[in-house]
């Protein structure tokens, strides 16, 4: 994963420090591999480095079938946490299939009926984030990747973070993919020329968008 002080990777060639690279197992194809670094490291760091999620805790994950959320659901389920995913009605079956124990339709269900949770992992922000803060029980943590939160739990932590490269963790995530313990959701593979439309705000489908920079080289 390229660090944030460098230009992005939507290019045929880019310079990356060796410390940010991990070997790609030969039996993982490039498209799947491209879905892992940012989403996988964001999910891991949010759940374990910042929220310090533990087995048996209750976790609320917003955007449960998105690029980050879908990996977070799988990691938390494997740990043995009680996972509540959120999204739209059409996302319900996918979220439950990833390992969520319950699902909240943010357009039809009342988020407040979830009850108290130990951790909220937010990738949406705005009103959803504001409504989530009161759900965090004493000593719990709200983690967001959207921006510095304007609200915080009454007796807990509110953390905003930006994902960082981590070579050893990236290698661990690759091994999880290789063994079948982790399955990134690929929503589409688009050519570089279609990047503007691929990331248009009105296009919302589950999973990670992959950009094919050149033939045979997804990013």
């Amino acid at each position: 994963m390229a660090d944030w002080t460098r230009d992005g990777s939507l290019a045929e060639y880019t310079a990356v420090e060796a410390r940010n690279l991990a070997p790609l197992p030969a039996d993982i194809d490039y498209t799947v591999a491209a879905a892992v670094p940012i989403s996988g490291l964001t999910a891991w760091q949010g759940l374990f480095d910042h929220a310090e999620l533990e087995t048996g805790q209750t976790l609320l994950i917003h955007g449960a079938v998105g690029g980050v959320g879908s990996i977070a659901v799988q990691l938390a389920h494997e740990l043995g946490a009680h996972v509540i995913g959120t999204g739209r009605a059409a996302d319900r079956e996918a979220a439950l299939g990833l390992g969520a124990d319950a699902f909240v339709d943010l357009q039809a269900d009342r988020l407040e009926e979830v009850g108290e949770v130990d951790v909220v992992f937010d990738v949406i922000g705005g009103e959803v984030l504001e409504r989530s803060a009161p759900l965090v029980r004493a000593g719990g943590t709200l983690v967001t990747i959207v921006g510095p939160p304007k609200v915080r739990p009454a007796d807990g932590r509110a953390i905003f973070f930006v994902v960082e490269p981590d070579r050893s963790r990236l290698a661990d995530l690759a091994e999880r993919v290789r063994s079948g313990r982790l399955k990134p959701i690929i929503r589409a593979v688009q050519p570089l020329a279609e990047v503007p439309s691929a990331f248009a705000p009105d296009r919302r489908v589950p999973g990670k968008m992959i950009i094919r920079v050149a033939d045979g080289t997804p990013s």
Side-chain angles (χ1 to χ4, degrees), residues 64-66 69-71 73-75 77 93-100 183-185:
V65 299
S70 61
I71 292 181
V73 168
Q74 294 176 72
L75 292 174
H77 172 74
E93 293 306 315
L96 296 176
L98 291 169
K183 298 180 180 179
I185 296 178

Side-chain angles (χ1 to χ4, degrees), residues 58 67 79 92 105 130 139 189 208:
T58 299
L79 176 72
R92 183 183 301 274
D105 176 358
E130 294 176 3
V189 180
K208 179 74 172 177

Side-chain angles (χ1 to χ4, degrees), residues 17-104:
E17 293 186 46
R19 65 186 178 89
N20 295 340
L21 300 174
L24 173 64
D27 49 356
I28 299 179
D29 69 40
Y30 290 109
T31 299
V32 172
V36 174
I38 291 180
S39 295
L41 290 176
T42 299
W44 184 280
Q45 291 170 16
L47 292 178
F48 304 121
D49 295 345
H50 297 289
E52 300 176 355
L53 182 69
E54 297 179 358
T55 301
Q57 289 188 322
T58 299
L59 164 69
L60 178 65
I61 299 178
H62 292 309
V65 299
V68 174
S70 61
I71 292 181
V73 168
Q74 294 176 72
L75 292 174
H77 172 74
E78 183 180 56
L79 176 72
H82 180 78
V83 182
I84 304 169
T86 77
R88 300 184 182 186
D91 301 331
R92 183 183 301 274
E93 293 306 315
L96 296 176
L98 291 169
D101 298 286
F103 182 82
V104 176

Side-chain angles (χ1 to χ4, degrees), residues 40-216:
L41 290 176
T42 299
W44 184 280
Q45 291 170 16
L47 292 178
F48 304 121
D49 295 345
H50 297 289
E52 300 176 355
L53 182 69
E54 297 179 358
T55 301
Q57 289 188 322
T58 299
L59 164 69
L60 178 65
I61 299 178
H62 292 309
V65 299
V68 174
S70 61
I71 292 181
V73 168
Q74 294 176 72
L75 292 174
H77 172 74
E78 183 180 56
L79 176 72
H82 180 78
V83 182
I84 304 169
T86 77
R88 300 184 182 186
D91 301 331
R92 183 183 301 274
E93 293 306 315
L96 296 176
L98 291 169
D101 298 286
F103 182 82
V104 176
D105 176 358
L106 291 176
Q107 295 179 312
D109 301 330
R110 293 192 69 250
L111 181 61
E112 290 71 20
E113 293 181 358
V114 165
E116 289 189 331
V117 300
D118 298 290
V119 175
V120 172
F121 190 3
D122 168 64
V123 300
I124 298 176
E127 180 187 2
V128 171
L129 172 61
E130 294 176 3
R131 292 166 58 196
S132 299
L135 303 178
V136 179
R137 61 170 49 99
T141 306
L142 184 155
V143 176
T144 180
I145 63 173
V146 178
K150 298 180 180 179
V151 296
R152 63 187 311 111
D155 190 16
R157 301 181 299 157
I159 297 172
F160 162 67
F161 80 99
V162 176
V163 62
E164 297 180 358
D166 185 330
R167 180 176 184 167
S168 62
R169 182 57 58 197
L170 191 54
D172 172 70
L173 291 168
E175 184 54 40
R176 289 168 185 264
V177 173
R178 186 182 188 187
S179 66
R181 294 161 59 197
L182 183 64
K183 298 180 180 179
I185 296 178
I186 309 297
R187 76 182 191 190
V189 180
Q190 301 287 104
L192 185 61
E194 297 181 16
V195 164
S197 62
F199 291 103
D202 59 345
R203 289 194 59 177
R204 185 187 179 281
V205 292
K208 179 74 172 177
M209 174 64 72
I210 304 298
I211 301 302
R212 189 177 298 279
V213 176
D215 289 343

